[in-house]
Amino acid sequence: MSAESPPNPRPRSGPRRDEAARLAVLHAADDLLAENGFGALTIEAIARRAGVAKQTIYRWWPSKVEILIDTLIEDSGKQLPIPAGEPTVASIRAYLRDFADFLSTDPAGKVLLVLLAQAQHDEATAESFHKRYLGPRREAELDMMVRGITGGGISPRVDPEVALDTLLGPLVYRALIGAAIPASLVDALVDEVLGASA
Amino acid sequence: MSAESPPNPRPRSGPRRDEAARLAVLHAADDLLAENGFGALTIEAIARRAGVAKQTIYRWWPSKVEILIDTLIEDSGKQLPIPAGEPTVASIRAYLRDFADFLSTDPAGKVLLVLLAQAQHDEATAESFHKRYLGPRREAELDMMVRGITGGGISPRVDPEVALDTLLGPLVYRALIGAAIPASLVDALVDEVLGASA
Amino acid sequence: MSAESPPNPRPRSGPRRDEAARLAVLHAADDLLAENGFGALTIEAIARRAGVAKQTIYRWWPSKVEILIDTLIEDSGKQLPIPAGEPTVASIRAYLRDFADFLSTDPAGKVLLVLLAQAQHDEATAESFHKRYLGPRREAELDMMVRGITGGGISPRVDPEVALDTLLGPLVYRALIGAAIPASLVDALVDEVLGASA
Amino acid sequence: MSAESPPNPRPRSGPRRDEAARLAVLHAADDLLAENGFGALTIEAIARRAGVAKQTIYRWWPSKVEILIDTLIEDSGKQLPIPAGEPTVASIRAYLRDFADFLSTDPAGKVLLVLLAQAQHDEATAESFHKRYLGPRREAELDMMVRGITGGGISPRVDPEVALDTLLGPLVYRALIGAAIPASLVDALVDEVLGASA
DNA sequence: TTGTAAGCGAGACGGTACGTCCGGTCTTCAT
DNA sequence: ATGAAGACCGGACGTACCGTCTCGCTTACAA
């Protein structure tokens, strides 16, 4: 399914996977999405752009959606790390601001929105996207909230699930309807949900 | 563009638009979407299911997205009326509960999500969906909030735009990720944004 | 299967088959075969050359072989008519000379050889080629022989089947191995099989 | 080109050609041809069936046609020896009967027909097939005819070239069109060409 | 005895063509 | 003029093989 999970890592003979081809595909997919939108993102176009044979794509990815999930996992891991350690209101606010910028500005944010969209159209996308990206990320965010509450940085009143929905939902919603996400919105949400910044 | 706007209502010779065909197309689109998802929703399939020629569809709708917008406008107008008159916290709470049910249960709610999704893939969809559905609806909702504030039912502190994003965002977000929308979430949001239910 | 057999000739609405496209396909196939051989005769190449969509070919022909059979039927009907009326040794000799030239010189003769070849590779080709071309032609040739014997122009001693194999076999064989077919060979065969030219 | 001609027999290190693999390839090719026809005879299928790597095939044969020529040379050498010594009408008749059986019954006869067919499609096949099989065989058959004439067993009137075409052509032709080859046809041909059996 | 130069199974790679599906345009006929 | 039917061009789909290549293993001669 993904480049990240070779299920049997026993040594084989023969040529190994061509890392250059893998990267070329990921970048080609990213670029095409950014330039022409999901509608123009065909396997043939990716192959053409990446200078790669179609079969090389089909050999490693079951669908173009999995390619996008791969790029999203790599990119959001790098550009949108979830605060580690014991988070404070301030660090969560910073995380949410980054998240808002990611959604409205970063090409990888476009990938997230597109995948969320495609999950509405296609059950297979929904399942894979949740299993490989949304689920783990949600887990990590919940864990962050719990650490914050346990550590005392965040009020123990808030339910972590509700808090996450309330914080993230409006940001994602505005991104989906193509509206900007002002920093003031993030601040208002944080103040309301996690307690006033006082 | 849509069935609702015959620009020249002058009497003409020859047969007028076949209302039965129009409804057959709308229902066929709805049914196919509900049964097999957006991926199976092709113009050819709609024509087949509706017992109508492809050209009849293209004559009246520029794309399958416009068909869905037509059905959504009709359905959400009926099943999700925006509170008229001078709204109270209670009536807004009721509206939001209906909205949550619409999103998670009603086939027409599926249409809304699908259109929101398709708007991420296709600029033309985004434009039309905003102009014909999202924009007017947002206007009406804003108007409702303003009426509530002016009338005194709602605290004048809340910014209507922020309030709407904060109320609707989490509901839409949970619907998009396939999660249920508990009534308690709606209540928590209303309490937080519009003041305690007191 | 072929352009020649519309099984239900009831009047229909809608556009009829595009004769220009049909001819473009037949000529493109002929030309490509003559220029680059059967190996280069792909459906995609025919479509490209004919300026026609692939689907237009698949709509009317189940395989490239049927295209070639169509061209062969048209061409050999025109350029290689079987002597009508009451044939004489002389008219049969003339027919065989024409046949020899057809095989060694005419592009349509190349089509015949290629189909005979492809029939060795593919059972479906064999069946269709026999049913649509070889069989009817053999029948007509047998009929010609019988008319000659009945009419007295040909010795009643000869078995028509054996005579045909003996006359045609060597010509086809030499064509297949790429050897020229001297007129003297035709004459020798005719003399031997149908009696001296006396 | 073929297994039979290692051009530089200088001593080398390393393992020599694997005879088992060579035979596995030849048999796999034969079997696949017999079972599924030339259309199913792909290098990949041969490799699969023979339990051999593709590269092992490409190392020793430039094309699948050469594999078939190798099998044909081995098989027809064994099962269809050309009469040695001073041939008589009777021994030639026997040879032709064997040839007819070979064409219509023997799997190796199928190989001959398939190669003759493929030579129509592909110039390279034609050249190799003539140089490696048809040419030498024709030479040997001509030599046989000449020995028969010189030795007095065959009438000096007959032109050996014409005689061969007349004798072999009808047999090959009937095999190609999928018709049986009755012994009576062979007899009739021999009688006519080489003089009555009287 | 050990280096080294093949042969070998395995299979990834850039390609081409396959036959199918659908998009959007068009043409024809009947109403 | 409209609607049903459907032919048409275009182009992406996912698959099968092509012929080339690289890998790591295994021989078996030559030093």
Side-chain angles (χ1 to χ4, degrees), chain B residues 15 41-44 48 54-55 58 64:
Chain B
L41 192 70
T42 69
I43 297 277
E44 306 235 318
R48 220 150 37 219
K54 258 198 310 179
Q55 189 54 39
Y58 282 111
K64 62 188 173 186

mmCIF file of all heavy atoms in Angstrom, chain B residues 15 41-44 48 54-55 58 64, chain E residues 21-28 30-31:
data_model
loop_
_atom_site.group_PDB
_atom_site.id
_atom_site.type_symbol
_atom_site.label_atom_id
_atom_site.label_comp_id
_atom_site.label_asym_id
_atom_site.label_seq_id
_atom_site.Cartn_x
_atom_site.Cartn_y
_atom_site.Cartn_z
ATOM 1 N N PRO B 15 -43.236 21.865 -27.952
ATOM 2 C CA PRO B 15 -43.433 21.376 -26.596
ATOM 3 C C PRO B 15 -42.495 22.096 -25.630
ATOM 4 O O PRO B 15 -41.362 22.408 -25.967
ATOM 5 C CB PRO B 15 -43.086 19.893 -26.706
ATOM 6 C CG PRO B 15 -42.268 19.772 -27.932
ATOM 7 C CD PRO B 15 -42.671 20.873 -28.849
ATOM 8 N N LEU B 41 -21.618 8.086 -10.162
ATOM 9 C CA LEU B 41 -22.574 9.063 -10.681
ATOM 10 C C LEU B 41 -22.054 9.656 -11.979
ATOM 11 O O LEU B 41 -21.398 10.700 -11.985
ATOM 12 C CB LEU B 41 -22.786 10.177 -9.645
ATOM 13 C CG LEU B 41 -23.955 11.102 -9.935
ATOM 14 C CD1 LEU B 41 -25.261 10.363 -9.743
ATOM 15 C CD2 LEU B 41 -23.911 12.316 -9.034
ATOM 16 N N THR B 42 -22.307 8.982 -13.085
ATOM 17 C CA THR B 42 -21.903 9.506 -14.381
ATOM 18 C C THR B 42 -23.133 9.965 -15.136
ATOM 19 O O THR B 42 -24.246 9.506 -14.873
ATOM 20 C CB THR B 42 -21.186 8.426 -15.218
ATOM 21 O OG1 THR B 42 -22.146 7.442 -15.591
ATOM 22 C CG2 THR B 42 -20.079 7.769 -14.430
ATOM 23 N N ILE B 43 -22.906 10.869 -16.057
ATOM 24 C CA ILE B 43 -24.023 11.364 -16.861
ATOM 25 C C ILE B 43 -24.702 10.205 -17.586
ATOM 26 O O ILE B 43 -25.921 10.127 -17.667
ATOM 27 C CB ILE B 43 -23.524 12.408 -17.876
ATOM 28 C CG1 ILE B 43 -22.949 13.624 -17.137
ATOM 29 C CG2 ILE B 43 -24.642 12.813 -18.809
ATOM 30 C CD1 ILE B 43 -23.967 14.618 -16.693
ATOM 31 N N GLU B 44 -23.888 9.305 -18.097
ATOM 32 C CA GLU B 44 -24.460 8.169 -18.817
ATOM 33 C C GLU B 44 -25.341 7.324 -17.900
ATOM 34 O O GLU B 44 -26.419 6.875 -18.295
ATOM 35 C CB GLU B 44 -23.342 7.299 -19.384
ATOM 36 C CG GLU B 44 -22.357 8.070 -20.234
ATOM 37 C CD GLU B 44 -22.202 7.492 -21.630
ATOM 38 O OE1 GLU B 44 -22.143 6.268 -21.746
ATOM 39 O OE2 GLU B 44 -22.161 8.268 -22.599
ATOM 40 N N ARG B 48 -29.307 6.689 -18.282
ATOM 41 C CA ARG B 48 -29.811 5.324 -18.344
ATOM 42 C C ARG B 48 -30.907 5.147 -17.299
ATOM 43 O O ARG B 48 -32.019 4.722 -17.597
ATOM 44 C CB ARG B 48 -28.654 4.359 -18.067
ATOM 45 C CG ARG B 48 -28.656 3.129 -18.927
ATOM 46 C CD ARG B 48 -27.251 2.594 -19.194
ATOM 47 N NE ARG B 48 -26.350 2.717 -18.068
ATOM 48 C CZ ARG B 48 -25.057 3.052 -18.187
ATOM 49 N NH1 ARG B 48 -24.560 3.320 -19.382
ATOM 50 N NH2 ARG B 48 -24.288 3.117 -17.131
ATOM 51 N N LYS B 54 -28.946 11.364 -23.143
ATOM 52 C CA LYS B 54 -27.879 12.188 -22.599
ATOM 53 C C LYS B 54 -28.065 13.652 -22.960
ATOM 54 O O LYS B 54 -27.868 14.549 -22.145
ATOM 55 C CB LYS B 54 -26.521 11.716 -23.163
ATOM 56 C CG LYS B 54 -25.722 10.887 -22.220
ATOM 57 C CD LYS B 54 -24.253 10.801 -22.622
ATOM 58 C CE LYS B 54 -23.993 10.422 -24.051
ATOM 59 N NZ LYS B 54 -22.526 10.401 -24.327
ATOM 60 N N GLN B 55 -28.447 13.882 -24.195
ATOM 61 C CA GLN B 55 -28.549 15.250 -24.668
ATOM 62 C C GLN B 55 -29.585 16.036 -23.881
ATOM 63 O O GLN B 55 -29.455 17.240 -23.687
ATOM 64 C CB GLN B 55 -28.888 15.261 -26.162
ATOM 65 C CG GLN B 55 -28.809 16.631 -26.793
ATOM 66 C CD GLN B 55 -27.447 17.267 -26.547
ATOM 67 O OE1 GLN B 55 -26.423 16.602 -26.578
ATOM 68 N NE2 GLN B 55 -27.449 18.565 -26.270
ATOM 69 N N TYR B 58 -27.681 17.304 -20.966
ATOM 70 C CA TYR B 58 -26.756 18.388 -21.299
ATOM 71 C C TYR B 58 -27.492 19.654 -21.720
ATOM 72 O O TYR B 58 -26.980 20.755 -21.586
ATOM 73 C CB TYR B 58 -25.800 17.944 -22.408
ATOM 74 C CG TYR B 58 -24.698 17.052 -21.901
ATOM 75 C CD1 TYR B 58 -24.639 15.711 -22.239
ATOM 76 C CD2 TYR B 58 -23.710 17.554 -21.060
ATOM 77 C CE1 TYR B 58 -23.626 14.888 -21.767
ATOM 78 C CE2 TYR B 58 -22.692 16.747 -20.581
ATOM 79 C CZ TYR B 58 -22.659 15.411 -20.941
ATOM 80 O OH TYR B 58 -21.660 14.610 -20.464
ATOM 81 N N LYS B 64 -23.002 17.406 -13.991
ATOM 82 C CA LYS B 64 -23.737 16.642 -12.997
ATOM 83 C C LYS B 64 -23.771 17.359 -11.660
ATOM 84 O O LYS B 64 -24.696 17.182 -10.864
ATOM 85 C CB LYS B 64 -23.137 15.240 -12.845
ATOM 86 C CG LYS B 64 -21.705 15.225 -12.364
ATOM 87 C CD LYS B 64 -21.155 13.794 -12.430
ATOM 88 C CE LYS B 64 -19.663 13.774 -12.110
ATOM 89 N NZ LYS B 64 -19.084 12.449 -12.307
ATOM 90 P P DC E 21 -17.166 -1.702 -20.326
ATOM 91 O OP1 DC E 21 -17.677 -2.466 -19.185
ATOM 92 O OP2 DC E 21 -17.838 -1.719 -21.647
ATOM 93 O "O5'" DC E 21 -17.016 -0.187 -19.889
ATOM 94 C "C5'" DC E 21 -16.244 0.117 -18.723
ATOM 95 C "C4'" DC E 21 -16.071 1.611 -18.633
ATOM 96 O "O4'" DC E 21 -15.149 2.054 -19.642
ATOM 97 C "C3'" DC E 21 -17.347 2.421 -18.835
ATOM 98 O "O3'" DC E 21 -17.596 3.108 -17.624
ATOM 99 C "C2'" DC E 21 -17.040 3.371 -19.989
ATOM 100 C "C1'" DC E 21 -15.515 3.354 -20.060
ATOM 101 N N1 DC E 21 -14.938 3.537 -21.423
ATOM 102 C C2 DC E 21 -13.993 4.540 -21.668
ATOM 103 O O2 DC E 21 -13.664 5.294 -20.753
ATOM 104 N N3 DC E 21 -13.482 4.680 -22.913
ATOM 105 C C4 DC E 21 -13.861 3.843 -23.884
ATOM 106 N N4 DC E 21 -13.315 3.998 -25.086
ATOM 107 C C5 DC E 21 -14.809 2.804 -23.643
ATOM 108 C C6 DC E 21 -15.325 2.687 -22.413
ATOM 109 P P DC E 22 -19.037 3.693 -17.358
ATOM 110 O OP1 DC E 22 -19.241 3.621 -15.903
ATOM 111 O OP2 DC E 22 -20.005 3.092 -18.309
ATOM 112 O "O5'" DC E 22 -18.850 5.214 -17.751
ATOM 113 C "C5'" DC E 22 -17.910 5.985 -17.025
ATOM 114 C "C4'" DC E 22 -17.579 7.230 -17.796
ATOM 115 O "O4'" DC E 22 -16.916 6.868 -19.020
ATOM 116 C "C3'" DC E 22 -18.783 8.074 -18.211
ATOM 117 O "O3'" DC E 22 -18.772 9.226 -17.381
ATOM 118 C "C2'" DC E 22 -18.559 8.369 -19.698
ATOM 119 C "C1'" DC E 22 -17.103 7.915 -19.934
ATOM 120 N N1 DC E 22 -16.837 7.380 -21.301
ATOM 121 C C2 DC E 22 -15.888 8.007 -22.116
ATOM 122 O O2 DC E 22 -15.296 8.992 -21.701
ATOM 123 N N3 DC E 22 -15.662 7.509 -23.359
ATOM 124 C C4 DC E 22 -16.337 6.433 -23.772
ATOM 125 N N4 DC E 22 -16.077 5.974 -24.990
ATOM 126 C C5 DC E 22 -17.293 5.782 -22.947
ATOM 127 C C6 DC E 22 -17.517 6.281 -21.729
ATOM 128 P P DG E 23 -19.688 10.476 -17.619
ATOM 129 O OP1 DG E 23 -19.877 11.104 -16.310
ATOM 130 O OP2 DG E 23 -20.842 10.031 -18.423
ATOM 131 O "O5'" DG E 23 -18.809 11.458 -18.509
ATOM 132 C "C5'" DG E 23 -17.465 11.741 -18.117
ATOM 133 C "C4'" DG E 23 -16.915 12.855 -18.972
ATOM 134 O "O4'" DG E 23 -16.467 12.297 -20.245
ATOM 135 C "C3'" DG E 23 -17.951 13.920 -19.315
ATOM 136 O "O3'" DG E 23 -17.365 15.206 -19.231
ATOM 137 C "C2'" DG E 23 -18.376 13.597 -20.740
ATOM 138 C "C1'" DG E 23 -17.147 12.902 -21.318
ATOM 139 N N9 DG E 23 -17.499 11.829 -22.238
ATOM 140 C C8 DG E 23 -18.346 10.774 -21.998
ATOM 141 N N7 DG E 23 -18.456 9.975 -23.014
ATOM 142 C C5 DG E 23 -17.643 10.527 -23.984
ATOM 143 C C6 DG E 23 -17.367 10.096 -25.299
ATOM 144 O O6 DG E 23 -17.805 9.114 -25.891
ATOM 145 N N1 DG E 23 -16.477 10.962 -25.944
ATOM 146 C C2 DG E 23 -15.926 12.076 -25.389
ATOM 147 N N2 DG E 23 -15.105 12.787 -26.143
ATOM 148 N N3 DG E 23 -16.180 12.489 -24.153
ATOM 149 C C4 DG E 23 -17.045 11.667 -23.517
ATOM 150 P P DG E 24 -18.233 16.473 -19.043
ATOM 151 O OP1 DG E 24 -17.405 17.544 -18.461
ATOM 152 O OP2 DG E 24 -19.490 16.064 -18.407
ATOM 153 O "O5'" DG E 24 -18.555 16.873 -20.560
ATOM 154 C "C5'" DG E 24 -17.502 17.479 -21.294
ATOM 155 C "C4'" DG E 24 -17.862 17.558 -22.754
ATOM 156 O "O4'" DG E 24 -18.014 16.231 -23.298
ATOM 157 C "C3'" DG E 24 -19.178 18.293 -23.069
ATOM 158 O "O3'" DG E 24 -18.883 19.225 -24.088
ATOM 159 C "C2'" DG E 24 -20.100 17.174 -23.535
ATOM 160 C "C1'" DG E 24 -19.096 16.242 -24.190
ATOM 161 N N9 DG E 24 -19.580 14.877 -24.380
ATOM 162 C C8 DG E 24 -20.287 14.112 -23.477
ATOM 163 N N7 DG E 24 -20.591 12.925 -23.936
ATOM 164 C C5 DG E 24 -20.051 12.907 -25.211
ATOM 165 C C6 DG E 24 -20.053 11.888 -26.190
ATOM 166 O O6 DG E 24 -20.562 10.773 -26.126
ATOM 167 N N1 DG E 24 -19.388 12.286 -27.350
ATOM 168 C C2 DG E 24 -18.794 13.495 -27.525
ATOM 169 N N2 DG E 24 -18.198 13.705 -28.698
ATOM 170 N N3 DG E 24 -18.781 14.456 -26.620
ATOM 171 C C4 DG E 24 -19.419 14.101 -25.495
ATOM 172 P P DT E 25 -19.920 20.147 -24.766
ATOM 173 O OP1 DT E 25 -19.303 21.486 -24.839
ATOM 174 O OP2 DT E 25 -21.225 19.958 -24.115
ATOM 175 O "O5'" DT E 25 -20.001 19.563 -26.244
ATOM 176 C "C5'" DT E 25 -18.802 19.455 -27.002
ATOM 177 C "C4'" DT E 25 -19.115 18.897 -28.381
ATOM 178 O "O4'" DT E 25 -19.514 17.511 -28.266
ATOM 179 C "C3'" DT E 25 -20.264 19.614 -29.110
ATOM 180 O "O3'" DT E 25 -19.814 19.908 -30.419
ATOM 181 C "C2'" DT E 25 -21.397 18.587 -29.085
ATOM 182 C "C1'" DT E 25 -20.623 17.274 -29.095
ATOM 183 N N1 DT E 25 -21.358 16.110 -28.537
ATOM 184 C C2 DT E 25 -21.479 14.959 -29.269
ATOM 185 O O2 DT E 25 -21.014 14.832 -30.383
ATOM 186 N N3 DT E 25 -22.162 13.941 -28.657
ATOM 187 C C4 DT E 25 -22.729 13.977 -27.401
ATOM 188 O O4 DT E 25 -23.332 13.005 -26.961
ATOM 189 C C5 DT E 25 -22.566 15.203 -26.680
ATOM 190 C C7 DT E 25 -23.145 15.353 -25.306
ATOM 191 C C6 DT E 25 -21.891 16.202 -27.268
ATOM 192 P P DC E 26 -20.704 20.753 -31.410
ATOM 193 O OP1 DC E 26 -19.754 21.462 -32.302
ATOM 194 O OP2 DC E 26 -21.731 21.493 -30.647
ATOM 195 O "O5'" DC E 26 -21.468 19.612 -32.253
ATOM 196 C "C5'" DC E 26 -20.783 18.916 -33.286
ATOM 197 C "C4'" DC E 26 -21.692 17.805 -33.816
ATOM 198 O "O4'" DC E 26 -21.873 16.828 -32.770
ATOM 199 C "C3'" DC E 26 -23.110 18.238 -34.139
ATOM 200 O "O3'" DC E 26 -23.255 18.879 -35.410
ATOM 201 C "C2'" DC E 26 -23.861 16.925 -34.041
ATOM 202 C "C1'" DC E 26 -23.071 16.117 -33.024
ATOM 203 N N1 DC E 26 -23.818 15.922 -31.737
ATOM 204 C C2 DC E 26 -24.392 14.681 -31.492
ATOM 205 O O2 DC E 26 -24.251 13.794 -32.357
ATOM 206 N N3 DC E 26 -25.086 14.478 -30.357
ATOM 207 C C4 DC E 26 -25.217 15.466 -29.474
ATOM 208 N N4 DC E 26 -25.893 15.208 -28.354
ATOM 209 C C5 DC E 26 -24.650 16.740 -29.698
ATOM 210 C C6 DC E 26 -23.958 16.936 -30.839
ATOM 211 P P DT E 27 -23.338 18.286 -36.801
ATOM 212 O OP1 DT E 27 -21.965 17.885 -37.120
ATOM 213 O OP2 DT E 27 -24.032 19.287 -37.595
ATOM 214 O "O5'" DT E 27 -24.285 16.992 -36.793
ATOM 215 C "C5'" DT E 27 -23.776 15.804 -37.394
ATOM 216 C "C4'" DT E 27 -24.844 14.747 -37.421
ATOM 217 O "O4'" DT E 27 -25.300 14.452 -36.083
ATOM 218 C "C3'" DT E 27 -26.092 15.129 -38.218
ATOM 219 O "O3'" DT E 27 -26.375 14.047 -39.090
ATOM 220 C "C2'" DT E 27 -27.171 15.309 -37.165
ATOM 221 C "C1'" DT E 27 -26.711 14.326 -36.095
ATOM 222 N N1 DT E 27 -27.174 14.598 -34.709
ATOM 223 C C2 DT E 27 -27.774 13.583 -33.995
ATOM 224 O O2 DT E 27 -27.960 12.473 -34.440
ATOM 225 N N3 DT E 27 -28.152 13.936 -32.726
ATOM 226 C C4 DT E 27 -27.999 15.151 -32.105
ATOM 227 O O4 DT E 27 -28.381 15.330 -30.946
ATOM 228 C C5 DT E 27 -27.360 16.161 -32.914
ATOM 229 C C7 DT E 27 -27.140 17.531 -32.359
ATOM 230 C C6 DT E 27 -26.990 15.853 -34.160
ATOM 231 P P DT E 28 -27.386 14.310 -40.333
ATOM 232 O OP1 DT E 28 -26.734 13.760 -41.515
ATOM 233 O OP2 DT E 28 -27.896 15.698 -40.287
ATOM 234 O "O5'" DT E 28 -28.612 13.358 -39.954
ATOM 235 C "C5'" DT E 28 -28.365 11.990 -39.682
ATOM 236 C "C4'" DT E 28 -29.587 11.414 -39.004
ATOM 237 O "O4'" DT E 28 -29.689 11.918 -37.661
ATOM 238 C "C3'" DT E 28 -30.909 11.773 -39.682
ATOM 239 O "O3'" DT E 28 -31.481 10.555 -40.140
ATOM 240 C "C2'" DT E 28 -31.733 12.465 -38.604
ATOM 241 C "C1'" DT E 28 -31.047 11.993 -37.328
ATOM 242 N N1 DT E 28 -31.137 12.894 -36.141
ATOM 243 C C2 DT E 28 -31.613 12.388 -34.953
ATOM 244 O O2 DT E 28 -31.977 11.239 -34.819
ATOM 245 N N3 DT E 28 -31.647 13.298 -33.910
ATOM 246 C C4 DT E 28 -31.257 14.620 -33.945
ATOM 247 O O4 DT E 28 -31.334 15.327 -32.952
ATOM 248 C C5 DT E 28 -30.770 15.072 -35.219
ATOM 249 C C7 DT E 28 -30.316 16.492 -35.366
ATOM 250 C C6 DT E 28 -30.733 14.199 -36.242
ATOM 251 P P DA E 30 -38.776 8.664 -38.884
ATOM 252 O OP1 DA E 30 -39.161 7.287 -39.191
ATOM 253 O OP2 DA E 30 -38.989 9.759 -39.857
ATOM 254 O "O5'" DA E 30 -39.490 9.078 -37.521
ATOM 255 C "C5'" DA E 30 -39.212 8.302 -36.356
ATOM 256 C "C4'" DA E 30 -40.017 8.827 -35.193
ATOM 257 O "O4'" DA E 30 -39.419 10.053 -34.710
ATOM 258 C "C3'" DA E 30 -41.471 9.175 -35.522
ATOM 259 O "O3'" DA E 30 -42.266 8.854 -34.387
ATOM 260 C "C2'" DA E 30 -41.426 10.675 -35.779
ATOM 261 C "C1'" DA E 30 -40.356 11.113 -34.771
ATOM 262 N N9 DA E 30 -39.635 12.319 -35.171
ATOM 263 C C8 DA E 30 -39.199 12.658 -36.423
ATOM 264 N N7 DA E 30 -38.574 13.810 -36.468
ATOM 265 C C5 DA E 30 -38.597 14.251 -35.153
ATOM 266 C C6 DA E 30 -38.105 15.407 -34.534
ATOM 267 N N6 DA E 30 -37.453 16.368 -35.197
ATOM 268 N N1 DA E 30 -38.300 15.541 -33.206
ATOM 269 C C2 DA E 30 -38.947 14.558 -32.552
ATOM 270 N N3 DA E 30 -39.458 13.426 -33.028
ATOM 271 C C4 DA E 30 -39.247 13.337 -34.344
ATOM 272 P P DT E 31 -43.866 9.058 -34.505
ATOM 273 O OP1 DT E 31 -44.451 7.855 -33.914
ATOM 274 O OP2 DT E 31 -44.222 9.502 -35.877
ATOM 275 O "O5'" DT E 31 -44.105 10.274 -33.514
ATOM 276 C "C5'" DT E 31 -43.484 10.244 -32.230
ATOM 277 C "C4'" DT E 31 -43.642 11.590 -31.575
ATOM 278 O "O4'" DT E 31 -42.782 12.559 -32.202
ATOM 279 C "C3'" DT E 31 -45.060 12.169 -31.626
ATOM 280 O "O3'" DT E 31 -45.497 12.367 -30.296
ATOM 281 C "C2'" DT E 31 -44.913 13.473 -32.384
ATOM 282 C "C1'" DT E 31 -43.452 13.811 -32.173
ATOM 283 N N1 DT E 31 -42.790 14.662 -33.222
ATOM 284 C C2 DT E 31 -42.165 15.832 -32.834
ATOM 285 O O2 DT E 31 -42.129 16.209 -31.689
ATOM 286 N N3 DT E 31 -41.578 16.519 -33.865
ATOM 287 C C4 DT E 31 -41.561 16.168 -35.203
ATOM 288 O O4 DT E 31 -41.010 16.864 -36.027
ATOM 289 C C5 DT E 31 -42.236 14.942 -35.524
ATOM 290 C C7 DT E 31 -42.284 14.473 -36.943
ATOM 291 C C6 DT E 31 -42.818 14.245 -34.535
#
